[in-house]
């Protein structure tokens, strides 16, 4: 009987790990940080001709910084309020 309980405990631990791994905040935060870095680099390396097209506003830089801030917000939120593992009552 204890072998069955150990197996159930292992499966519950794996389920909780999978729930935390595929938390949507991690995916959204990671993508926003990745794209934010790319767009920020594009904004830093913008030429004068590119800035003139946008009426001297470095839109890539500002958008990239905004995306970085949003992505970091999602990742910090995930760190501060992690997903609670499902209880056996919720699984049924």
């Amino acid at each position: 009987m204890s072998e069955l309980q150990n197996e159930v405990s292992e499966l519950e631990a794996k389920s909780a790990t999978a729930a935390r791994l595929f938390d949507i905040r991690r995916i959204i935060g990671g993508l926003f940080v990745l794209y934010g870095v790319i767009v920020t680099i594009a904004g830093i390396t913008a030429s004068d001709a590119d800035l003139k097209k946008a009426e001297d506003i470095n839109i890539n830089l500002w958008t990239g910084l905004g995306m970085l801030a949003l992505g970091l917000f999602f990742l910090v939120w995930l760190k501060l309020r992690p997903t609670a593992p499902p209880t056996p009552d919720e699984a049924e």
Side-chain angles (χ1 to χ4, degrees), residues 84-92:
T87 60
D89 294 335
E90 292 176 4
E92 295 173 1

Side-chain angles (χ1 to χ4, degrees), residues 14-90:
K14 287 180 182 178
S15 175
T17 301
R20 282 191 294 272
L21 181 64
F22 294 109
D23 189 354
I24 193 72
R25 295 175 293 181
R26 181 183 313 266
I27 296 167
I28 291 173
L31 285 174
F32 267 99
V33 167
L34 177 68
Y35 294 148
V37 167
I38 293 169
V39 174
T40 300
I41 291 171
I44 291 171
T45 61
S47 67
D48 290 336
D50 292 335
L51 292 175
K52 194 169 265 193
K53 287 180 193 176
E55 298 181 9
D56 293 326
I57 298 172
N58 197 341
I59 194 69
N60 284 337
L61 180 64
W62 288 108
T63 303
L65 292 174
M67 292 173 80
L68 277 172
L70 182 64
L72 290 174
F73 167 76
F74 272 97
L75 295 177
V76 168
W77 180 23
L78 176 69
K79 189 73 172 173
L80 294 177
R81 305 247 341 188
T83 305
T87 60
D89 294 335
E90 292 176 4

